[in-house]
Amino acid sequence: MSWQASIEISRDSGESLTAQVQRTIKREISDGVLHPGTRLPSTRRLADDLDVSRSVVVEAYGQLVAEGYLEAVQGSGTRVVRHLSAAPAPVVPTLLDEGQVPSVRWDLRSGTVNVAHFPYREWLGCGQRVLRTVRQGDLGYPPPSGVPAMREEVARYLGRVRGVRAAPGQVMVVSGFAHGLGLLCAALPSLGMTTLAMEDPGLPRQRAFVREAGMRTVPVPVDEDGIDVQALARTGARAVFVTPFHQFPTGVTLSPERREALVRWARDVDGYVIEDDYDGDFWFDRRARPLALQRLAPERVVYAGTSSKSLVPALRLGWLVVPRDLQPVLERLRSQRDLGSDCLTQLTFAELLRSGSFDRHLRRLRARYATRRKTLADAVRQFLPEARLDGPAAGLHAYVRLPRHTDEAALVAGALRRSVLVRGGREFCARPDGARPALVVGYTALHRSGLAEALRAVGAAHAELPGARRYPGPVRAAARSA
């Protein structure tokens, strides 16, 4: 362990060498450079680095231990004491910040993923096989669009499962969807598209992200058939962001008629559709699962997907299937902005796909989540009988549409008092005035018993709202016991 650059000593100083070493270490601790628990070099190593007698460092360390700055633990070396803490660095707000999250018993927010279901053993096995067989040429800087093995396996998987029409060369590997969206927001203005139409309701932080990336956003209403294409045409935009498989947050699926209309719109305006297939791996409905919108117009639709919902968000692994005309623009931007995504993660995920382990993992995950979706539906019928779930049984959240007279904000606050954290539908609306009250419920992070108890508490909160109808049985019992 070498550590020379942080300590400067001068043999011409009137201060002893021991005092100089001691003073410098104190200053580095006080300034937060040396953090609590940091291990320091051995006295012999530091003496060699500084070209001083070992006794100089031994004396300096001993004095700092006596003063409470350092601790010497047998077998663990000398460390900065752990109870010292530097002044905390200021927290820089990000688009992901949603304020301080209260501590609750039941968290029903959407977007939460149960990381306990990550296939640790399969991932480890695939990673080991990659490390045993990887070539030296695969460990340099990756191509801007990703390593060939990853692009090939993703193209095969998306064609087989989602009906995406893409050659491996059209796949661009990105570090999560936000990374891909940022690239698109940089590319579209160079093609004369400075406005991005976005579904309303939608994810507020995505709208903010797009604006921060330099594009103007315009909301387009969503109804039971998906985005209103006629309203889209009136905006004058030539690019639109949609979630056609399982609209966020309403959960509706874009109807066949609207799909055709959306594709015609893109061709008429010489524009592009960004299709975010964020939870397309999860379809529980008995009806046939809709295929990707990209299948209808590969030259007009940018298809986007990630591993965040099917594996874990920590991987930061996603992909874009890019129309051929747009591909050179994105690759040029990518080469200017970064040097590609992590090679070993790409190769491991490619092996997970190639070996069939990913398919087996998804089958297990779908079975678990389908059961929880049914538990949620049963609990809504029991504890919120006037509410209904919109859209098909799909995805990782449900849109619970409430009676029109419901005070959505009061219900959310009442649920929180009962230790249930859930978000109201109006929080996702760019134009909340006139929006019908609803709850956006994530159901994958809790066990079935937790879901039922959480909905029981929400039902009790609803029963206490002014003008709410009272129901016999569990709802009233829960309200009395809350």
Side-chain angles (χ1 to χ4, degrees):
M1 179 184 286
S2 178
W3 190 45
Q4 184 176 2
S6 297
I7 295 184
E8 296 180 1
I9 59 173
S10 172
R11 288 174 170 79
D12 297 329
S13 171
E15 188 179 24
S16 70
L17 296 177
T18 295
Q20 291 182 55
V21 173
Q22 184 179 336
R23 173 176 51 77
T24 302
I25 294 177
K26 279 184 179 181
R27 185 191 68 223
E28 298 291 83
I29 292 174
S30 299
D31 290 348
V33 177
L34 291 178
H35 297 267
T38 299
R39 183 179 177 183
L40 302 188
S42 68
T43 55
R44 188 183 304 279
R45 171 53 60 194
L46 185 55
D48 289 344
D49 288 344
L50 299 176
D51 193 23
V52 298
S53 168
R54 184 185 178 196
S55 63
V56 169
V57 181
V58 169
E59 184 178 351
Y61 276 16
Q63 185 62 33
L64 290 169
V65 169
E67 293 180 19
Y69 285 91
L70 303 180
E71 59 183 357
V73 180
Q74 185 69 29
S76 297
T78 303
R79 298 176 183 271
V80 179
V81 294
R82 297 183 184 276
H83 65 265
L84 288 180
S85 59
V91 177
V92 179
T94 70
L95 292 177
L96 296 180
D97 291 338
E98 298 180 357
Q100 186 175 2
V101 178
S103 177
V104 294
R105 184 177 180 186
W106 300 293
D107 189 344
L108 296 180
R109 288 175 300 160
S110 60
T112 55
V113 176
N114 194 329
V115 298
H117 298 323
F118 180 72
Y120 293 93
R121 185 173 59 183
E122 291 88 342
W123 184 265
L124 178 61
C126 290
Q128 289 175 335
R129 288 196 293 273
V130 165
L131 290 175
R132 285 196 300 266
T133 60
V134 69
R135 299 170 299 179
Q136 289 187 354
D138 293 328
L139 297 180
Y141 291 110
S145 288
V147 299
M150 168 78 173
R151 299 169 76 186
E152 290 169 7
E153 293 300 334
V154 167
R156 291 192 185 106
Y157 175 77
L158 294 178
R160 172 170 58 88
V161 175
R162 303 294 291 119
V164 172
R165 296 163 57 187
Q170 291 177 260
V171 176
M172 173 176 279
V173 182
V174 291
S175 300
F177 176 70
H179 180 211
L181 183 58
L183 289 171
L184 290 167
C185 288
L188 292 175
S190 68
L191 303 175
M193 304 177 200
T194 58
T195 298
L196 184 63
M198 304 187 75
E199 297 169 324
D200 185 24
L203 197 60
R205 66 170 177 255
Q206 279 183 341
R207 291 193 290 266
F209 181 92
V210 171
R211 289 193 293 268
E212 289 290 332
M215 293 194 75
R216 174 176 170 263
T217 63
V218 57
V220 182
V222 170
D223 59 26
E224 63 274 8
D225 290 319
I227 191 168
D228 185 337
V229 182
Q230 291 184 349
L232 169 63
R234 291 192 292 270
T235 66
R238 293 175 52 211
V240 63
F241 175 94
V242 295
T243 50
F245 173 79
H246 188 233
Q247 200 277 331
F248 187 89
T250 67
V252 300
T253 297
L254 191 64
S255 69
E257 295 77 18
R258 292 279 177 87
R259 287 171 172 252
E260 295 286 350
L262 187 57
V263 166
R264 285 196 303 272
W265 167 86
R267 289 172 176 152
D268 290 344
V269 302
D270 189 25
Y272 289 106
V273 178
I274 301 173
E275 176 183 12
D276 180 12
D277 196 16
Y278 65 99
D279 60 0
D281 286 317
F282 302 100
W283 180 263
F284 318 123
D285 202 271
R286 292 182 178 180
R287 293 168 288 179
R289 179 175 62 179
L291 297 177
L293 176 69
Q294 187 267 1
R295 180 183 181 88
L296 298 179
E299 79 285 2
R300 290 295 169 192
V301 179
V302 181
Y303 176 92
T306 77
S307 65
S308 296
K309 303 298 188 294
S310 53
L311 291 174
V312 285
L315 286 177
R316 307 313 308 140
L317 187 62
W319 42 86
L320 302 176
V321 177
V322 184
R324 296 186 188 278
D325 291 346
L326 190 56
Q327 193 172 356
V329 181
L330 284 176
E331 288 189 340
R332 183 171 61 252
L333 277 168
R334 186 75 186 272
S335 62
Q336 294 169 351
R337 291 184 167 214
D338 59 68
L339 295 177
S341 300
D342 170 52
C343 288
L344 291 176
T345 299
Q346 291 184 59
L347 291 170
T348 302
F349 185 70
E351 176 63 17
L352 197 72
L353 289 171
R354 187 202 63 79
S355 65
S357 297
F358 187 66
D359 288 86
R360 290 190 289 273
H361 163 69
L362 281 181
R363 281 196 293 271
R364 295 192 298 267
L365 210 54
R366 286 191 196 104
R368 292 189 183 105
Y369 290 167
T371 302
R372 292 179 191 179
R373 177 62 163 68
K374 183 179 183 304
T375 299
L376 175 66
D378 292 342
V380 168
R381 282 192 294 269
Q382 183 175 7
F383 302 119
L384 292 168
E386 286 188 283
R388 64 179 176 88
L389 300 186
D390 274 4
L396 307 181
H397 77 276
Y399 194 73
V400 182
R401 194 176 292 276
L402 300 168
R404 291 188 180 277
H405 61 268
T406 304
D407 186 334
E408 180 188 290
L411 177 58
V412 170
L416 184 58
R417 288 194 296 271
R418 289 167 172 78
S419 203
V420 180
L421 184 58
V422 65
R423 298 184 70 180
R426 287 174 180 156
E427 293 184 42
F428 299 90
C429 295
R431 300 165 176 166
D433 294 341
R436 183 167 172 175
L439 298 177
V440 181
V441 179
Y443 54 82
T444 58
L446 294 180
H447 293 291
R448 286 180 294 168
S449 59
L451 275 174
E453 287 299 315
L455 265 295
R456 179 191 292 270
V458 174
H462 182 269
E464 290 188 349
L465 295 179
R469 294 178 60 185
R470 300 298 194 268
Y471 294 91
V475 172
R476 297 185 65 183
R480 289 194 300 268
S481 62

